[in-house]
Amino acid sequence: MTDDKVKRRLTTVLCADVHGYSRLMEADETGTLETLRRSRTAIARLVERHDGRIVNTWGDAVIAEFASVVEAVQCAIEIQQEISNQGSDTPQANPMRFRIGINLGDVMVDGTNIYGDGVNIASRLQELADPGGVVISSSVYDQVHNKLSVGFDCLGQRPMKNIAPQTSYRVTLGGPAGPRSFPIDGSRTPREEARAPRIGDRHEPSAWTHAASQWLAKLPRPVAAALTVSAFLILINLFTGAHKIWFHWPVAAILFGVVLRMVLGHRPESDSEGQR
């Protein structure tokens, strides 16, 4: 009997897509196609170097998978550097730039193809990336943030089409010698790039700050706002003169107002009808 059970595996999915491909094709079909072929050759070489596998190449997109999360992110960085260098060698009015998304997730396997949320999330992360940039999921960030000499900017939970909001991170490149040629924002001028924070100046959000923000996000909006304002008043009191405590009166009034609003808001309908 044949085994029809769907095969699954945990893998790292890299999704790359050309930014503004239709516009580039409209401006110069022949030149764009030639540049795309050259870029894909470079991508395939780098994927193989990092022990990855090209899964699919439809249109202007490339999907690859890697057994190692670190190798996948390193490959994405080198891809963007290689594409940037190619553009520098052959200056064009409209250079080709890729956006890359990387996700670590469970996928369904069908022959040489992979499907499922693991792939879909990588595709949606790619859409969040800047031209020439890389965006990774939180599952990827957890594995690589202390293993690579790059920085990460937390983008928070961004809405994604047909996918639940995911916490994502933008990869930022730099090092002791300064920023590399990989452009996170192609609109920056050299002077702006020189003023941009270096990797050593970037600080990842602390664990307690991230936990506090997630905890507040789960609370009703009035409660979250009241707690935030109360904390702000307490800090003002502490920094302007802890010898005289005054924050308890406004904080008590704020919390009483929130409790009263929530009680009245959840009053049974029968009580409301009886008062009419």
Side-chain angles (χ1 to χ4, degrees), residues 158-213:
R158 298 288 186 89
M160 294 185 285
K161 183 179 179 181
N162 299 328
I163 298 290
Q166 303 278 334
T167 300
S168 56
Y169 295 82
R170 177 193 293 117
V171 179
T172 59
L173 299 189
R180 301 179 186 176
S181 58
F182 174 84
I184 291 298
D185 183 357
S187 62
R188 281 182 178 174
T189 64
R191 179 175 297 179
E192 292 170 336
E193 190 66 35
R195 292 199 302 263
R198 299 295 189 261
I199 286 300
D201 299 332
R202 295 184 183 271
H203 299 281
E204 301 165 9
S206 62
W208 72 267
T209 303
H210 183 64
S213 63

Side-chain angles (χ1 to χ4, degrees), residues 238-266:
L238 293 177
F239 283 110
T240 57
H243 60 280
K244 183 177 181 181
I245 303 300
W246 53 261
F247 70 82
H248 53 285
W249 293 115
V251 168
I254 292 172
L255 296 179
F256 177 76
V258 171
V259 172
L260 184 63
R261 177 179 176 182
M262 294 185 66
V263 170
L264 293 178
H266 291 82

Side-chain angles (χ1 to χ4, degrees), residues 14 71 88 129 131 171 190 221:
L14 180 152
E71 292 292 338
S88 300
V171 179
R221 185 172 297 178

Side-chain angles (χ1 to χ4, degrees), residues 30-236:
T30 303
T32 298
L33 183 58
E34 178 60 31
T35 302
L36 179 61
R37 287 174 176 170
R38 186 167 60 252
S39 299
R40 279 185 171 172
T41 299
I43 291 173
R45 172 172 47 81
L46 292 170
V47 168
E48 182 179 3
R49 176 189 298 176
H50 290 276
D51 299 322
R53 175 180 77 91
I54 298 291
V55 176
N56 209 329
T57 56
W58 72 81
D60 58 307
V62 175
I63 292 183
E65 69 166 336
F66 298 80
S68 166
V69 188
V70 174
E71 292 292 338
V73 176
Q74 187 63 49
C75 180
I77 293 170
E78 293 181 14
I79 286 173
Q80 296 294 32
Q81 290 175 330
E82 179 74 16
I83 300 302
S84 178
N85 290 337
Q86 288 183 0
S88 300
D89 294 339
T90 57
Q92 300 175 359
N94 297 308
M96 179 173 291
R97 291 184 292 178
F98 282 77
R99 298 181 298 180
I100 297 179
I102 305 176
N103 178 52
L104 170 64
D106 189 77
V107 300
M108 297 181 294
V109 182
D110 182 15
T112 59
N113 291 326
I114 55 177
Y115 304 93
D117 282 346
V119 180
N120 296 337
I121 292 173
S123 177
R124 296 294 179 248
L125 292 171
Q126 165 264 313
E127 295 173 357
L128 297 178
D130 296 321
V134 179
V135 170
I136 63 175
S137 64
S138 58
S139 58
V140 174
Y141 171 81
D142 292 340
Q143 298 294 322
V144 305
H145 72 276
N146 59 349
K147 296 182 178 70
L148 294 173
S149 300
V150 295
F152 302 91
D153 290 335
C154 182
L155 301 179
Q157 291 192 341
R158 298 288 186 89
M160 294 185 285
K161 183 179 179 181
N162 299 328
I163 298 290
Q166 303 278 334
T167 300
S168 56
Y169 295 82
R170 177 193 293 117
V171 179
T172 59
L173 299 189
R180 301 179 186 176
S181 58
F182 174 84
I184 291 298
D185 183 357
S187 62
R188 281 182 178 174
T189 64
R191 179 175 297 179
E192 292 170 336
E193 190 66 35
R195 292 199 302 263
R198 299 295 189 261
I199 286 300
D201 299 332
R202 295 184 183 271
H203 299 281
E204 301 165 9
S206 62
W208 72 267
T209 303
H210 183 64
S213 63
Q214 287 193 331
W215 178 70
L216 286 174
K218 296 178 182 178
L219 295 175
R221 185 172 297 178
V223 176
L227 292 177
T228 303
V229 173
S230 299
F232 185 65
L233 291 173
I234 293 173
L235 289 175
I236 291 178

